[in-house]
Amino acid sequence: MENMMRIAREFFRLPEDERMKMYSSDVSKTTRLSTSFNVNTEKVANWRDYLRLHCYPLQDYINEWPSNPPTFREEVAEYCSEARGVVVRLVEAISESLGLEKEYITSEAIGKHGQHMALNYYPPCPQPELTYGLPAHTDPNLITLLLQDDVPGLQVLQGQKWVAIQPIPNTFIVNIGDQMQVISNGRYKSVLHRAVVNCQQERISIPTFYCPSPDAVIKPAPKLVTDFPALYKSYTYAEYYSKFWDKGLKADSSALHLFKINN
């Protein structure tokens, strides 16, 4: 965790011309540096730069990653592998908590699996009240493992109130994503959250997004619709992710309502 945070800082402190070698506005690229959320659709930009990396299966993507800093690929690969192990154990526990087989979600519900991550850099903002690092949204994936530095910025909606999540050293924040809400037939809820910025300190956060593979067919687990009707229809994860990106990050940015069944 310490190595991952350090290598992220080293990357964002590289000269701009070096960092820009990774820049792309093409959202389909599996390794790219960009800014805001989706610069192709937004009228107002968010106060964020980020490096997005796909990282599972590792061998398919590692050669696309930055080669500067020199140890970037080695250290990020180690972190990605360890993070995947944590996520798989969490998902197996969630599966059991639903009364499903331990391996149901990891073996049947999400296909071949997908994993990507973002290295988020929020520079000090001269007028933080005018923008967000990221506006309110739920994560479109299955589950998110968030590593953050010691600068506050993450907020979660609890009831009608935004609650600041104070960083605790050597911990992860775990966010339930939209796909877990569907698979659990609403028993687990994806969490609405946002990132705010400040005028004094930079902030770095590193979410690992664990996802179904694009061709995975997502639906409520059959065992969870025997006594309670299905809340969502079946769809592929690629279909869902496309809708999510098209919508952009707005207060109602979850695309779940597009796949809901009106029982």
Side-chain angles (χ1 to χ4, degrees):
M1 292 164 74
E2 291 173 357
N3 288 344
M4 186 67 233
M5 191 60 69
R6 175 184 50 75
I7 207 75
R9 291 190 188 283
E10 288 180 11
F11 175 81
F12 284 110
R13 289 172 180 170
L14 291 172
E16 182 178 355
D17 59 347
E18 182 66 27
R19 283 180 283 123
M20 288 297 288
K21 292 176 182 178
M22 306 305 302
Y23 181 82
S24 175
S25 60
D26 179 0
V27 299
S28 67
K29 288 197 70 172
T30 51
T31 299
R32 68 187 184 100
L33 177 72
S34 192
T35 190
S36 192
F37 176 72
N38 187 346
V39 294
N40 300 317
T41 61
E42 293 166 338
K43 294 181 180 179
V44 178
N46 310 140
W47 198 261
R48 172 184 77 139
D49 291 337
Y50 64 93
L51 177 66
R52 182 173 290 275
L53 308 172
H54 281 233
C55 41
Y56 184 81
L58 195 58
Q59 66 273 13
D60 290 356
Y61 302 109
I62 190 170
N63 291 327
E64 301 175 358
W65 294 357
S67 55
N68 194 11
T71 61
F72 185 94
R73 293 179 181 178
E74 175 187 353
E75 296 194 65
V76 175
E78 181 182 11
Y79 178 84
C80 288
S81 298
E82 294 293 337
R84 179 176 184 271
V86 172
V87 168
V88 168
R89 292 197 296 276
L90 285 170
V91 172
E92 288 176 345
I94 289 172
S95 191
E96 287 185 309
S97 77
L98 292 166
L100 305 172
E101 295 295 325
K102 178 180 178 180
E103 292 84 13
Y104 172 77
I105 297 177
T106 55
S107 298
E108 296 185 44
I110 60 173
K112 298 176 182 177
H113 298 212
Q115 180 184 347
H116 54 102
M117 64 189 302
L119 282 60
N120 293 322
Y121 175 70
Y122 303 98
C125 179
Q127 294 180 288
E129 69 281 0
L130 298 182
T131 188
Y132 291 107
L134 280 174
H137 65 286
T138 60
D139 289 342
N141 49 291
L142 183 75
I143 192 171
T144 302
L145 198 67
L146 177 67
L147 174 66
Q148 55 181 344
D149 63 13
D150 59 355
V151 179
L154 175 66
Q155 296 182 344
V156 172
L157 188 67
Q158 188 175 48
Q160 301 299 314
K161 182 181 179 182
W162 286 102
V163 178
I165 306 300
Q166 297 300 323
I168 300 172
N170 304 314
T171 63
F172 290 112
I173 300 292
V174 179
N175 277 351
I176 297 296
D178 292 344
Q179 307 316 306
M180 189 69 79
Q181 181 165 328
V182 173
I183 293 169
S184 70
N185 203 28
R187 287 164 173 79
Y188 279 89
K189 307 290 186 184
S190 53
V191 61
L192 194 65
H193 58 285
R194 67 185 186 184
V196 297
V197 291
N198 68 83
C199 60
Q200 294 158 331
Q201 293 177 286
E202 67 179 17
R203 176 174 177 260
I204 289 179
S205 70
I206 304 170
T208 292
F209 304 104
Y210 211 78
C211 321
S213 51
D215 61 350
V217 176
I218 307 300
K219 60 184 178 182
K223 284 187 178 180
L224 301 180
V225 298
T226 53
D227 299 321
F228 191 80
L231 298 177
Y232 303 96
K233 61 185 179 181
S234 300
Y235 55 85
T236 66
Y237 184 59
E239 182 182 1
Y240 190 92
Y241 202 66
S242 174
K243 299 286 188 186
F244 173 81
W245 273 97
D246 289 345
K247 280 179 62 62
L249 295 193
K250 303 171 185 174
D252 63 345
S253 64
S254 170
L256 280 173
H257 70 279
L258 299 174
F259 301 90
K260 197 160 187 178
I261 296 174
N262 295 320
N263 291 308

